[in-house]
Amino acid sequence: NQLVREHPDSLRAAQAHFLLAESFNEQKRFAEAAAEYGAYASARSGILDAYALERQGDAYFSATKYVEALNAYNATAVIPRLGDATELQIKIGQTRAALGDYAGALAQYDAIAQSGNDFVRAQMDYLSGSAYKFLGQTDKMNERFLHAVENYPVSYYSYLSLVELVDAGVPVSDL
């Protein structure tokens, strides 16, 4: 903190913001972590922005500040990054669900399922089934869980879907 206060424009201060964010995150001081990730992104604009803002969104999500988390995730979604952004898109969907925007979450999950592999599709079926569960739409919930079980049997999310179906008393084929 002293470095950040006494030399706010130095390269080391930017690094200190990131390390403070990581430290706060480990201490489960998520709101403070989010603020430090934001300070890092501001101090080092253009360098690893996508990753710093995503971590900021993660910290906000953990602090149950879902609007701020969604804003951070949406901001990072438009910044170029290496590799696949599927995980980020899933976080956006989960944040929408946490905000009670189940229609937005379901649309997000369906879009992700179109481009993902079978493991991602199984996860999207599970998350969609969970959203329908919160909406009280048990027929659609069971349909999505059953789809995961029948089409992606080796996925962990298919197992979770199976558990949901068994808990709900839905008959499931042994095959």
Side-chain angles (χ1 to χ4, degrees):
N1 274 341
Q2 180 180 357
L3 173 66
V4 172
R5 281 191 313 271
E6 292 178 9
H7 307 283
D9 297 325
S10 73
L11 173 61
R12 296 289 184 225
Q15 293 169 339
H17 283 298
F18 186 82
L19 293 174
L20 280 169
E22 292 287 295
S23 176
F24 287 142
N25 209 30
E26 287 298 315
Q27 295 172 22
K28 306 218 181 305
R29 295 165 57 182
F30 300 116
E32 292 165 286
E36 291 298 334
Y37 285 125
Y40 171 79
S42 294
R44 297 283 298 178
S45 182
I47 300 174
L48 303 176
D49 283 353
Y51 305 101
L53 291 173
E54 184 176 352
R55 291 188 68 84
Q56 182 184 42
D58 294 345
Y60 278 134
F61 190 92
S62 295
T64 67
K65 295 185 174 196
Y66 301 123
V67 171
E68 292 89 342
L70 186 59
N71 290 338
Y73 290 146
N74 285 333
T76 194
V78 298
I79 298 172
R81 64 174 44 226
L82 295 175
D84 189 342
T86 301
E87 185 177 327
L88 174 64
Q89 295 302 317
I90 293 169
K91 290 176 183 181
I92 290 171
Q94 291 173 312
T95 305
R96 288 181 186 280
L99 285 166
D101 177 13
Y102 294 108
L106 288 164
Q108 185 82 14
Y109 299 150
D110 287 343
I112 295 165
Q114 298 303 311
S115 62
N117 62 38
D118 285 352
F119 294 99
V120 171
R121 288 185 189 103
Q123 183 180 8
M124 296 308 97
D125 277 343
Y126 175 75
L127 292 173
S128 294
S130 298
Y132 284 124
K133 182 178 181 178
F134 284 110
L135 290 169
Q137 297 179 16
T138 54
D139 288 344
K140 289 183 179 183
M141 171 193 79
N142 293 339
E143 180 182 315
R144 293 307 282 265
F145 288 149
L146 196 57
H147 187 266
V149 170
E150 291 176 344
N151 292 284
Y152 317 113
V154 298
S155 169
Y156 175 70
Y157 286 96
S158 295
Y159 168 74
L160 293 177
S161 295
L162 178 63
V163 169
E164 290 286 342
L165 289 167
V166 170
D167 286 350
V170 176
V172 180
S173 170
D174 290 340
L175 300 176

